[in-house]
Amino acid sequence: MTIFYRYISFDYFIMNNIIIPQRFRLMCNNLYENYDCIVKYDTDIENKHFIGNKENRSCRFCNRNQRETKFRKEAHAISNLIGNNRLFSYYECDECNGVLFTQFESHFSNYMRLRHCVSQIHGKNGIPSYKNRVEDFSRIDIKDMISVAQKEDEDAIVNFDRERHIIHFSGKRTYKPSMVYKCLLKMALTIIPEEELPNVQNAMDYLMGRKKYMCKLPVLYRQYGGIHPFGKPICFLYKRKEKRIKENVPQYLFMIAYGNFVFQLYIPFCDNDKFLQGKDCNFIFIPTPEDITQIPIKELLDLSSDDRVEKEEYGIDFSFGSYEEKDLTININDK
Ligand SMILES: [Zn+2]
């Protein structure tokens, strides 16, 4: 079996005497007995890559053509918020790109800001700094060193565990779960091949607000240790096999990995998934090479709610080998 991922295959691990654990083999079997990979895009490439046809352009999201809307901007197929500046599409118009999708990204950015800051994800304006509230003095900046400015009367944002060599960063986030979901779904619906589009029309209508659904929208979130194990974003789309071992699996699985993070979802509301209603549906885990050597933090999220979540507490741990601590304390009142 050959998998995957950038340029690594099982042979790489065998050649380097890295033992492939049984749980990882099971994960791979589980995936490949039920799914085929139909799309893979790696954004760690030298030149810009555009998906789709440059001539006769038409927006797959709002269905308007180049006489009805404009296609002047370069539309990122995968958000540039998570470090993509190589993969673009020809089939997203300026209006969809500029209005609706910017809103999705803004919620996703709020949702992940602290984690992106700690993990040093290069977004639109470089690596984000982190503050609990705009008006706070306390902030985290990570460039060559971790710089923490903390004011005594504001909520603690960093706890330094010197014995266990862990820095725990904590923060608060305000976001709409459904908008975070749509940010991810939009990427899935951008990379899905043209010929599969009729199968995902309901998801497209949900994304664009043309239809509403009341049901759970599960997303599997994983967080891995180490410095940028995934680097630049890489994304995959898997399609259910006709002949498979597990009957009750959704038709399309999407996964995006970048920095220390992996998000996985299935494309919801497919007509071909109607037989799954009321059944226990298997949400199969897509393995990454990191699963060979580490067990990530996993969360199964439900991002279906349209209600704003206010000041939700969340965190991320950062472990390190050695460190040099500099006390840059200043007393603001003296100034
Ligand atoms: Zn459009």
Side-chain angles (χ1 to χ4, degrees):
M1 179 172 18
T2 51
I3 303 202
F4 46 106
Y5 231 68
R6 297 227 155 100
Y7 316 102
I8 306 172
S9 70
F10 267 132
D11 296 345
Y12 168 87
F13 293 96
I14 292 162
M15 271 159 47
N16 288 283
N17 292 323
I18 297 168
I19 295 165
I20 298 170
Q22 187 60 17
R23 65 179 166 76
F24 184 77
R25 289 180 188 275
L26 287 173
M27 283 163 79
C28 294
N29 291 342
N30 210 10
L31 178 65
Y32 286 94
E33 283 167 357
N34 297 293
Y35 285 92
D36 293 313
C37 182
I38 56 167
V39 172
K40 171 190 160 187
Y41 287 111
D42 189 347
T43 64
D44 190 8
I45 49 176
E46 206 166 314
N47 298 314
K48 286 183 177 178
H49 179 75
F50 289 81
I51 320 171
N53 189 354
K54 197 175 178 182
E55 312 306 322
N56 301 322
R57 290 168 76 170
S58 144
C59 176
R60 68 162 56 172
F61 300 98
C62 67
N63 299 317
R64 288 179 296 173
N65 62 30
Q66 57 193 28
R67 289 187 306 279
E68 297 160 316
T69 183
K70 293 192 179 81
F71 291 87
R72 291 204 188 120
K73 292 185 205 152
E74 290 188 337
H76 290 81
I78 298 296
S79 172
N80 60 346
L81 194 74
I82 58 172
N84 168 41
N85 50 14
R86 288 291 180 274
L87 189 65
F88 301 85
S89 86
Y90 283 129
Y91 42 69
E92 177 180 324
C93 77
D94 295 353
E95 216 171 295
C96 288
N97 175 306
V99 183
L100 200 54
F101 300 162
T102 306
Q103 285 177 33
F104 301 163
E105 286 189 340
S106 149
H107 284 267
F108 187 76
S109 168
N110 290 347
Y111 186 75
M112 289 298 288
R113 178 171 283 273
L114 173 68
R115 291 174 177 167
H116 283 172
C117 166
V118 172
S119 175
Q120 298 185 270
I121 302 298
H122 277 265
K124 286 175 195 179
N125 307 309
I127 299 164
S129 296
Y130 180 79
K131 283 182 171 194
N132 267 336
R133 295 171 304 184
V134 191
E135 64 272 26
D136 281 0
F137 170 81
S138 303
R139 62 184 287 153
I140 304 169
D141 286 287
I142 302 185
K143 278 170 187 113
D144 297 327
M145 62 185 249
I146 297 173
S147 141
V148 178
Q150 195 155 320
K151 202 174 157 198
E152 279 185 351
D153 57 354
E154 286 173 2
D155 291 337
I157 47 180
V158 176
N159 281 302
F160 200 6
D161 184 339
R162 290 168 179 81
E163 273 175 22
R164 289 165 59 219
H165 282 207
I166 291 173
I167 309 176
H168 179 73
F169 298 88
S170 58
K172 288 178 184 164
R173 58 187 177 189
T174 294
Y175 62 96
K176 266 190 195 173
S178 59
M179 298 295 263
V180 175
Y181 186 83
K182 285 185 176 187
C183 185
L184 296 163
L185 180 62
K186 186 259 160 185
M187 297 190 242
L189 294 177
T190 301
I191 66 159
I192 195 168
E194 189 83 30
E195 62 271 22
E196 307 288 338
L197 280 180
N199 295 332
V200 298
Q201 201 47 55
N202 293 333
M204 195 64 99
D205 289 341
Y206 167 74
L207 181 84
M208 301 304 290
R210 296 185 290 249
K211 276 187 189 170
K212 279 192 184 290
Y213 292 88
M214 297 288 283
C215 62
K216 285 190 174 176
L217 292 172
V219 171
L220 185 60
Y221 168 76
R222 286 177 267 170
Q223 188 177 298
Y224 294 79
I227 295 172
H228 274 206
F230 302 110
K232 293 260 182 192
I234 185 164
C235 57
F236 300 83
L237 194 71
Y238 289 84
K239 187 177 184 183
R240 179 173 68 206
K241 284 179 196 270
E242 283 302 317
K243 282 192 173 172
R244 56 188 182 270
I245 305 290
K246 289 195 168 137
E247 185 54 27
N248 297 334
V249 293
Q251 191 173 17
Y252 299 102
L253 290 183
F254 169 73
M255 181 182 100
I256 175 114
Y258 65 97
N260 295 73
F261 314 107
V262 174
F263 285 92
Q264 184 185 324
L265 54 87
Y266 58 81
I267 296 186
F269 324 124
C270 291
D271 286 337
N272 295 332
D273 285 344
K274 277 196 172 147
F275 74 97
L276 292 170
Q277 278 172 8
K279 291 182 185 155
D280 274 342
C281 175
N282 281 294
F283 192 8
I284 287 176
F285 209 76
I286 301 172
T288 77
E290 286 302 311
D291 294 295
I292 294 176
T293 51
Q294 56 171 313
I295 294 176
I297 294 168
K298 292 186 208 118
E299 287 172 37
L300 184 61
L301 313 164
D302 172 18
L303 296 178
S304 57
S305 173
D306 287 328
D307 298 331
R308 184 179 289 272
V309 177
E310 297 274 354
K311 294 181 185 162
E312 180 184 63
E313 289 186 10
Y314 74 125
I316 182 170
D317 288 345
F318 185 91
S319 55
F320 51 88
S322 62
Y323 66 98
E324 184 189 345
E325 214 174 324
K326 288 182 186 167
D327 187 357
L328 303 172
T329 306
I330 50 162
N331 191 336
I332 304 170
N333 298 329
D334 288 351
K335 281 198 167 177

